[in-house]
Amino acid sequence: MAGRWFHPEGEITIGALLEHFKVNPGSEVTVTYETGESYKCKFYSSYEADNEDELEESVAVVPVDYFAVALDSVEVIVPGGHYGGPGSLIELSYRDFPERIVAEDGTVVYQADE
C-alpha cells in the first residue's frame, strides 16, 4: 500500500488519522508532540504535499511527495512551535508527526513506538 501513501509511514500516521475522522466526522482530537506541546484540534483538510521549497534551498535535498493533514487548533493546551497563532492551521505529515493523538472518548488514534 506504500504506493498510495508514497511512504509506509504515511499509512501508519496520516492513514490512521484520516480513518478516525472518516468514522468520526466533526470530532476533536488532542495532539501531543514529543516536546510536550499539545493542542485540541478538528479536521480541516487533507492534501498531497511535497518538499519543493526545500529543493530550492539545497541541491542535496531529494524530491519527496507525501500526504498531509491540516488541523484547526480549537484549544492550546501547551503552546509550542507548531502553533502559529489564532486562525492558523497545524500541518501533520509523516515527516513531522505528533507523538500521540487521542480522540475525545480517550481512544488512542496514534501512538509513536516507545
Side-chain angles (χ1 to χ4, degrees):
M1 187 145 204
R4 175 174 180 231
W5 289 102
F6 297 116
H7 309 278
E9 300 91 341
E11 183 174 8
I12 296 165
T13 56
I14 297 298
L17 185 57
L18 289 176
E19 182 63 26
H20 169 76
F21 285 124
K22 179 180 175 184
V23 174
N24 303 284
S27 66
E28 295 179 355
V29 294
T30 300
V31 173
T32 305
Y33 288 89
E34 188 176 278
T35 59
E37 68 182 291
S38 186
Y39 311 94
K40 189 174 285 188
C41 301
K42 286 187 167 194
F43 177 80
Y44 182 80
S45 183
S46 63
Y47 44 89
E48 288 185 37
D50 60 43
N51 65 338
E52 187 174 308
D53 57 329
E54 296 171 18
L55 294 173
E56 294 171 3
E57 297 171 12
S58 171
V59 294
V61 175
V62 177
V64 177
D65 290 323
Y66 55 91
F67 286 97
V69 171
L71 298 177
D72 184 13
S73 178
V74 296
E75 179 184 345
V76 177
I77 300 168
V78 177
H82 290 88
Y83 181 66
S88 67
L89 301 172
I90 296 173
E91 182 182 83
L92 305 183
S93 76
Y94 86 94
R95 300 175 71 208
D96 183 22
F97 208 74
E99 181 176 51
R100 183 174 171 90
I101 300 175
V102 178
E104 293 171 289
D105 66 1
T107 302
V108 176
V109 176
Y110 174 80
Q111 173 69 52
D113 292 335
E114 303 274 341

